[in-house]
Amino acid sequence: MAVKIRYLFSERSDRWEVKIIGEVDINTSTEVKEKLESILEEKQKSMIINAEELDYIDSTGLGMLIGIVKKLKQQDLELVLAKPQDSILKLFRITGLDKVIRIREE
Amino acid sequence: MEVFKINIPNKKEYVISARLAATSVAGIHGYDIEKIEDIRLAVGEACNNVVLHGRGSESIDIVIEVNDELMKISVSDKGRGFVPREIQNPTPEEYAGSGLGLYIIDSIMDELVVESEEEKGTTIRMIKRR
């Protein structure tokens, strides 16, 4: 399965709203990383990732997200993961990533 | 036990094939959704480990043995092998490193054993009980 990324900048909330659809794995995480970095190069702002259609993420995808979080934190910005599926929420909790990335379940 | 075997090229593009095969077998044998998701992730991480560290191995062997009580999965390569360390929860700063995949498998499967021999390869053995 491929991965799709949709994004727009919300003037109202002053942050990027990104939707990742599909699977972020060893085969797609580099593509996703490059896309997220290019979005942030366009405008250095906080980012919310809508994960309701993110079907799968593995350790390479988690590592990629940590890299994005580090870049944002250097600018005092944040990454929020919204509406993750149960399996992904479980993975974030197992790895402790829920303490590094703010999760918004609804 | 029923036995299902596949062999995939040691390339990142093929890892999804192993994940799909494992979830298919788990589904056929009536595992619930949460356990199927665990098996999908564990097989994916085990194959990732080969793609990232199984240098010298052309392919990955995945063997799934399943009965009414449990599913035994082995993921093997014929790469250069490594010295397994104790599995620990990496800190977020280490997430880009190699320890996270095995930590995840250890957390979601009922048993995990990593056998590795230099110049002969590595086998990751996992068990998921029903």
Side-chain angles (χ1 to χ4, degrees):
Chain A
M1 182 187 279
V3 65
K4 287 184 191 170
I5 298 176
R6 294 187 185 139
Y7 61 99
L8 59 84
F9 185 75
S10 168
E11 299 287 350
R12 191 174 58 84
S13 58
D14 193 35
R15 68 183 175 191
W16 287 105
E17 296 182 354
V18 178
K19 187 167 193 178
I20 301 179
I21 302 162
E23 301 193 340
V24 180
D25 69 355
I26 191 169
N27 192 38
T28 61
S29 59
T30 302
E31 175 189 344
V32 175
K33 174 176 180 274
E34 288 172 355
K35 188 69 213 176
L36 296 182
E37 285 178 346
S38 77
I39 291 168
L40 292 172
E41 274 175 25
E42 194 180 322
K43 201 183 289 244
Q44 292 273 336
K45 292 288 182 180
S46 290
M47 180 179 279
I48 181 165
I49 295 177
N50 180 329
E52 62 188 332
E53 291 183 57
L54 174 62
D55 296 318
Y56 179 84
I57 188 165
D58 67 9
S59 59
T60 64
L62 297 182
M64 180 274 297
L65 287 180
I66 284 292
I68 298 293
V69 169
K70 283 181 179 173
K71 285 192 172 143
L72 287 169
K73 278 190 175 169
Q74 284 170 2
Q75 314 280 332
D76 207 22
L77 300 169
E78 73 165 347
L79 179 68
V80 177
L81 191 79
K83 303 179 184 175
Q85 295 180 14
D86 288 347
S87 58
I88 289 171
L89 188 59
K90 176 179 168 180
L91 180 59
F92 271 67
R93 286 177 176 153
I94 285 170
T95 56
L97 209 54
D98 59 333
K99 296 178 181 68
V100 180
I101 297 175
R102 188 154 69 86
I103 309 279
R104 210 176 73 188
E105 293 187 45
E106 292 299 326
Chain B
M1 276 200 159
E2 284 186 17
V3 181
F4 178 97
K5 298 179 183 179
I6 57 166
N7 176 271
I8 61 170
N10 182 8
K11 293 181 177 175
K12 63 182 183 178
E13 295 86 349
Y14 286 92
V15 171
I16 188 172
S17 309
R19 293 202 305 262
L20 288 172
T23 54
S24 170
V25 174
I28 288 167
H29 284 270
Y31 276 75
D32 65 34
I33 292 292
E34 186 175 354
K35 288 183 177 174
I36 290 174
E37 298 277 9
D38 289 344
I39 290 164
R40 171 168 74 153
L41 184 57
V43 169
E45 294 295 351
C47 291
N48 285 358
N49 198 65
V50 180
V51 173
L52 294 170
H53 309 293
R55 290 172 300 163
S57 184
E58 288 185 2
S59 63
I60 309 171
D61 287 308
I62 298 109
V63 179
I64 302 171
E65 299 168 81
V66 59
N67 63 17
D68 289 343
E69 295 175 7
L70 55 83
M71 180 180 278
K72 289 167 68 174
I73 304 166
S74 71
V75 176
S76 306
D77 69 68
K78 294 181 177 63
R80 292 178 193 161
F82 67 99
V83 180
R85 295 172 299 164
E86 190 178 345
I87 296 167
Q88 295 175 328
N89 185 2
T91 65
E93 287 70 29
E94 295 171 322
Y95 279 176
S98 60
L100 185 59
L102 288 177
Y103 173 76
I104 290 170
I105 298 173
D106 196 41
S107 300
I108 60 179
M109 299 297 270
D110 294 307
E111 290 182 30
L112 166 66
V113 175
V114 181
E115 299 165 352
S116 192
E117 198 171 340
E118 281 190 63
E119 305 305 325
K120 290 196 172 174
T122 301
T123 297
I124 295 175
R125 300 184 196 280
M126 307 170 272
I127 290 177
K128 188 72 171 176
R129 299 187 199 288
R130 187 178 293 276

